Amino acid sequence: MFTSVLMIEQPLSATDVDFVTTLHDDQMSFVVLMQPRGAEDRLLRAIDDVALGELERAVHEADEPEGEQAVRPAALALEHSLRSLRDAGCEAVGQLIEGHPLDLLRSVVEQTHADEVIVLTAPHLVEEFFHRDWASRARHKVGVPVLKLYAHNDEEDYALGDVQEQ
């Protein structure tokens, strides 16, 4: 079985699930690490939104839940993502990231003997330019390949704030 640690910051879309579950021919097992919103800098998110031409989204960054308010939506997004991976025939477990994401990533890779890390994220232009994004920093912390992919937002799938309990 091929084990991937999957770092995400929004619920997996159907396109994301299809993509990550077909990367390898082997049976897949995922350990999903979900980063609640608000753990990254609101200003950097707004700059990314402006750079990507999403001005409406930049205006509403202040409306996004942060801190403790972001934990419940993140937990629901994680459950949705785990269910989607399992429905696709994969093994999947996960947890919310508390504290420093790269410290947790390193320990999860070591504990699970993961074969790779997949960082599935929205574009973060400022962090990427300065190589301060998760994938760039993870490459120096874990002893396995790190693949960076951009998350999809399928219209029929959940947005982070719209995840409902099922």
Side-chain angles (χ1 to χ4, degrees), residues 16-49:
D16 294 331
V17 170
D18 184 55
F19 192 45
V20 298
T21 59
T22 59
L23 284 173
H24 304 285
D25 292 333
D26 299 335
Q27 176 68 26
M28 296 288 296
S29 172
F30 290 95
V31 179
V32 181
L33 303 178
M34 174 75 191
Q35 175 72 55
R37 288 285 292 196
E40 69 275 2
D41 189 317
R42 181 182 291 168
L43 176 61
L44 290 177
R45 290 194 320 254
I47 291 170
D48 286 339
D49 292 339

Side-chain angles (χ1 to χ4, degrees), residues 38-152:
E40 69 275 2
D41 189 317
R42 181 182 291 168
L43 176 61
L44 290 177
R45 290 194 320 254
I47 291 170
D48 286 339
D49 292 339
V50 169
L52 294 169
E54 297 187 24
L55 300 178
E56 183 69 24
R57 208 163 138 191
V59 170
H60 292 289
E61 280 296 341
D63 301 335
E64 290 290 330
E66 292 191 343
E68 288 299 315
Q69 293 176 328
V71 172
R72 178 120 176 97
L76 294 172
L78 176 61
E79 284 305 313
H80 165 79
S81 299
L82 293 174
R83 190 171 38 255
S84 297
L85 289 167
R86 291 176 190 139
D87 289 347
C90 299
E91 292 182 13
V93 296
Q95 69 183 74
L96 294 180
I97 296 172
E98 298 174 16
H100 197 280
L102 296 177
D103 292 338
L104 176 61
L105 175 63
R106 182 182 3 202
S107 70
V108 168
V109 167
E110 289 172 0
Q111 291 169 6
T112 63
H113 304 289
D115 297 295
E116 71 179 357
V117 170
I118 300 171
V119 177
L120 189 66
T121 181
H124 295 289
L125 302 177
V126 174
E127 292 96 334
E128 290 172 24
F129 180 77
F130 291 106
H131 301 285
R132 300 300 303 156
D133 58 300
W134 284 354
S136 295
R137 293 188 296 165
R139 287 184 181 108
H140 303 287
K141 290 233 177 209
V142 297
V144 297
V146 177
L147 178 62
K148 179 178 183 174
L149 304 173
Y150 289 113
H152 294 82

